[in-house]
């Protein structure tokens, strides 16, 4: 027997023993009933962990845009961008995304993971001796892009303490003055719900001659006057070299993108294998995404409702004495602290109360910080929140995790 088979079995047994084996839950989203999904047995489940933050994925305006595009242009794109996969509609979406972030150009990828992996690896393979400075809590896609540099490039990666400009400056100061430098970080961190000091990081980038690469995946569509993200909200988007985002969360569609100066984006377009050698996004997705971006840039009420719902949930969890982790964003994590317990609580919520909340375990978060992650949308009502809080109290209080 090949040694891999034994390795795989032992690794899976170890993951199960640690209580962090992932079992997918099949749920059918109901467009007319969101955030209620349907289980295979026909029962309904209230979903509290969707990344469709603004409930756009089930909105009538996007459903109609998708239907019309499919009727006119069919389903799949039928080729890469260089082989009949580029349409005027796709170019219009890239231009809209560039405009959203105040940049000269945009480039679409098949997902946010791919846009980070391809974008970062392409940049860091462009010159020898890059020094990249990566926030300690950057997403796996950013880490994959940084690690995807070829050995000959000699890229050196420095990890700075999460959201710590002082530590970042120490590392920048110690790096060779003439070396090409890149600071890679996020705006909203999806597991803790905290927000980066973008302006302070841009100050350091300017002082030490570094480029900046900002992942706004968990902020686009929601933050800023037109949904351009935290960098727009803070008035610093023009100071960031490359802004990356997704169409799969607040915009309710699919795909990822980068935006920046025209020659930077064109360079990535021209040499990134993750862009060149993959099929283009289908016309239904492109048309729906373009409709969503244009709609959300003007839908201030939907953004306001999202944040009102998030703050209301935080207040209700606090009033019940539940161990909520403090956040300044729309993401609401609840500390559990043990992988097996976290999985158990998630299963009980689903089986006993018809509530779905994803357990977040190691390696997504450090051991001992396991949590449930709640993402209320504009469509989560007070009654839904009451039911969620009552269920959490019923499950956690016997274990002593809720103050009596």
């Amino acid at each position: 027997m090949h040694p891999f088979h034994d390795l795989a079995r032992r690794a899976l047994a170890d993951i199960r023993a640690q209580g962090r084996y992932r079992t997918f839950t099949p749920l059918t989203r109901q467009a007319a009933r969101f955030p209620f999904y349907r289980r295979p047995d026909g029962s309904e489940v209230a979903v509290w962990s969707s990344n469709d933050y603004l409930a756009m994925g089930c909105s009538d305006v996007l459903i109609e845009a998708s239907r019309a595009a499919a009727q006119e242009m069919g389903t799949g794109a039928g080729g890469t961008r260089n082989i009949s996969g580029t349409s005027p509609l796709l170019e219009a979406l890239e231009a809209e995304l560039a405009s959203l972030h105040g940049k000269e150009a945009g480039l679409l990828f098949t997902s946010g993971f791919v846009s980070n992996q391809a974008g970062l690896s392409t940049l860091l393979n462009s010159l020898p001796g890059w020094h990249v400075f990566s926030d300690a809590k950057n997403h796996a896609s950013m880490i994959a892009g940084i690690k995807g540099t070829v050995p000959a490039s000699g890229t050196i990666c420095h990890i700075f303490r999460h959201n710590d400009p002082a530590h970042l400056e120490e590392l920048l100061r110690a790096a060779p003055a003439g070396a090409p430098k890149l600071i890679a970080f996020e705006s909203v961190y999806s597991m803790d719900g905290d927000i980066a000091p973008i302006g302070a990081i841009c100050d350091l980038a300017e002082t030490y001659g570094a480029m900046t690469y900002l992942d706004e995946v968990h902020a686009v569509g929601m933050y800023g006057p037109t949904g351009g993200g935290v960098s727009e909200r803070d008035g610093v988007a023009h100071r960031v070299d490359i802004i990356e985002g997704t169409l799969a969360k607040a915009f309710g569609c699919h795909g990822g993108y980068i935006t920046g100066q025209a020659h930077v984006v064109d360079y990535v377009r021209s040499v990134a294998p993750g862009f060149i050698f993959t099929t283009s996004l289908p016309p239904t997705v492109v048309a729906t995404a373009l409709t969503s971006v244009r709609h959300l840039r003007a839908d201030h009420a939907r953004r306001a409702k999202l944040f009102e719902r998030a703050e209301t949930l935080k207040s209700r969890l606090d009033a019940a004495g539940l161990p909520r982790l403090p956040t300044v964003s729309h993401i609401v994590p609840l500390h559990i602290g043990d992988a097996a317990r976290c999985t158990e609580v998630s299963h009980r919520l689903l089986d006993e109360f018809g509530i779905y909340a994803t357990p977040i375990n190691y390696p997504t978060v450090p051991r001992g910080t396991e949590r449930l992650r709640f993402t209320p949308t504009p469509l989560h009502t007070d009654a839904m929140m009451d039911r969620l809080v009552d269920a959490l109290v019923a499950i956690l209080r016997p274990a002593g995790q809720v103050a009596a």
Side-chain angles (χ1 to χ4, degrees), residues 60-93:
D60 290 341
V61 64
L62 295 200
I63 292 172
E64 174 56 27
S66 180
R67 184 204 62 77
Q71 189 169 43
E72 178 185 355
M73 293 174 278
T75 53
T80 66
R81 290 290 298 271
N82 194 48
I83 304 175
S84 74
T86 297
S87 67
L89 194 67
L90 195 150
E91 291 182 329
L93 176 56

Side-chain angles (χ1 to χ4, degrees), residues 97 99-102 186-188 195-196 198 214-237 240 243-245 250-251 257 296-297 303 307 330:
L97 292 167
S99 173
L100 175 68
H101 295 295
E186 302 179 40
S187 58
V188 176
I195 295 177
I198 302 175
L214 173 63
D215 177 320
E216 287 262 34
V217 158
H218 292 277
V220 289
M222 297 170 282
Y223 293 77
T226 67
V230 177
S231 58
E232 183 194 30
R233 184 198 71 177
D234 293 354
V236 294
V240 179
I243 296 178
E244 183 267 351
F251 291 123
Y257 64 88
L296 283 179
R297 292 185 76 173
R303 280 192 287 278
F307 290 108
H330 62 285

Side-chain angles (χ1 to χ4, degrees), residues 284-304:
T284 49
V285 171
V286 174
T288 306
L290 179 58
T291 300
S292 184
V293 175
R294 287 175 172 170
H295 177 91
L296 283 179
R297 292 185 76 173
D299 195 345
H300 312 297
R302 188 178 290 254
R303 280 192 287 278

Side-chain angles (χ1 to χ4, degrees), residues 156-237:
I156 298 173
C157 181
H158 308 269
I159 309 298
F160 64 92
R161 289 189 294 268
H162 178 54
N163 281 349
D164 188 339
H167 187 224
L168 173 59
E169 182 166 24
E170 287 180 25
L171 297 173
L172 285 165
R173 188 186 300 118
K181 304 176 184 68
L182 176 74
I183 304 171
F185 62 111
E186 302 179 40
S187 58
V188 176
Y189 287 84
S190 63
M191 292 301 110
D192 294 329
D194 52 350
I195 295 177
I198 302 175
I201 292 174
C202 288
D203 289 342
L204 293 174
E206 292 167 7
T207 298
Y208 292 94
M211 291 180 65
T212 45
Y213 183 105
L214 173 63
D215 177 320
E216 287 262 34
V217 158
H218 292 277
V220 289
M222 297 170 282
Y223 293 77
T226 67
V230 177
S231 58
E232 183 194 30
R233 184 198 71 177
D234 293 354
V236 294

Side-chain angles (χ1 to χ4, degrees), residues 109-121 141 213 244 256-258 273-275 278:
F109 293 84
T110 51
S111 72
F113 191 104
V114 174
S115 58
N116 271 336
Q117 184 181 44
L120 283 166
S121 64
S141 58
Y213 183 105
E244 183 267 351
Y257 64 88
I258 62 168
F275 171 81
T278 192

